Amino acid sequence: NVDIGKGISDLLVDDLVRNGTYAVIERQQMGELLAEQNFEKGGRVNPATAAKIGRLLGVDAVIIGAVTEFGRETKNTGIGAVGATLQHFGFGGFGQKKMRAIVGLSARIVNVETGEIEMVADAKGQSSRKSTSLLGGGGGWGGFGAGGVNFGTRNFQQTIIGEAIKKATDGLAAQLDADDARIALPTIHVNGEVAAVVNGQVVIDVGSHAGVRVGDELTVERVTMTIKDPRTGKVLRQMASPIGEIEAVNVDAVSAICNVISGGGFKIGDLAQTTVH
């Protein structure tokens, strides 16, 4: 009754955030989207489905993965013979003299634009004990009992299976960090307008949903001429002149507050544009 996949993915997120290579969205945000879009649980590991989820979330890439190995090797050496078996963790103790926990993980990073797999990582963690009494109760869950395990606690990570999980997860995160340059970031063209000028700051009508992030620099231009099709009246082109540059310092979903880098005299309706990655 323990959700191993969720526990391991939580640890992986913690590692990635701590290392600072990736900005990771909150699990709640992804969970709400999965429920809203009615994605089947089995389809979440499909690269095409992962890409669709990623596009809806507005992220650059999605990590999908699996627990490839999760078991224990037990050896009994007290009766004149040595026997070894690989089995799933169950409930109850058996009194073996030695035990080794093995956890294997795999992960793939999916490009949300193309659905292609850009990176593959695999890691394995092992831990051993000389007595099963060190496993604790609840079938090796360190006394937590079925369904009540928090993989991030120190107590759990000191159990035999907790150590193996932590080693495998840390190894996987290290590989993902080392290969982050292989992720192809999409080029985003941001086009917005000045919505207000308040106390020397410029507010524009585009935010994170359009790809704006804190630190992005935008060019502000003013339309000097609008050219229309003489037959249909359709706007063909707007001629504009640059009047300054601004930097986003506070961004929400649909707007951004910007400091002035250069220029001045900004007005409502001025164009704010940039190309970001």
Side-chain angles (χ1 to χ4, degrees), residues 8-224:
I8 290 175
S9 64
D10 285 345
L11 286 180
L12 182 61
V13 166
D14 289 344
D15 277 348
L16 295 176
V17 171
R18 187 180 303 111
N19 295 345
T21 303
Y22 301 99
V24 186
I25 68 165
E26 295 182 3
R27 171 177 290 279
Q28 181 180 354
Q29 185 179 351
M30 187 167 183
E32 291 173 352
L33 177 69
L34 291 172
E36 178 184 326
Q37 298 293 322
N38 195 28
F39 285 110
E40 294 294 335
K41 185 174 182 180
R44 296 183 197 175
V45 297
N46 182 291
T49 304
K52 181 178 180 181
I53 294 172
R55 287 192 293 271
L56 291 172
L57 290 170
V59 298
D60 299 318
V62 173
I63 300 173
I64 59 177
V67 180
T68 58
E69 191 172 3
F70 193 87
R72 66 183 174 198
E73 182 183 51
T74 60
K75 294 183 178 181
N76 196 337
T77 59
I79 55 175
V82 178
T85 60
L86 186 66
Q87 56 189 233
H88 292 295
F89 272 84
F91 292 91
F94 299 91
Q96 292 90 352
K97 298 298 183 182
K98 294 183 180 181
M99 178 172 286
R100 183 165 60 113
I102 307 170
V103 174
L105 306 175
S106 70
R108 293 169 288 170
I109 289 190
V110 179
N111 183 311
V112 300
E113 295 296 322
T114 65
E116 296 178 352
I117 298 172
E118 295 191 329
M119 186 194 309
V120 177
D122 296 281
K124 181 175 288 189
Q126 299 186 29
S127 182
S128 60
R129 293 285 192 272
K130 292 183 178 180
S131 172
T132 56
S133 62
L134 294 177
L135 278 170
W141 296 108
F144 292 94
V149 183
N150 182 342
F151 283 30
T153 64
R154 180 179 297 273
N155 286 342
F156 177 71
Q157 291 179 10
Q158 289 177 343
T159 65
I160 181 174
I161 189 63
E163 282 186 357
I165 289 173
K166 189 67 169 64
K167 288 178 180 178
T169 306
D170 288 350
L172 198 66
Q175 290 185 49
L176 296 174
D177 283 337
D179 291 340
D180 72 293
R182 295 171 57 184
I183 300 176
L185 299 180
T187 299
I188 302 171
H189 301 281
V190 177
N191 294 286
E193 294 185 3
V194 173
V197 180
V198 183
N199 297 325
Q201 291 184 307
V202 179
V203 181
I204 58 176
D205 64 353
V206 286
S208 60
H209 283 177
V212 179
R213 299 175 182 174
V214 172
D216 286 346
E217 296 181 3
L218 299 94
T219 299
V220 180
E221 299 181 339
R222 181 163 299 156
V223 176
T224 56

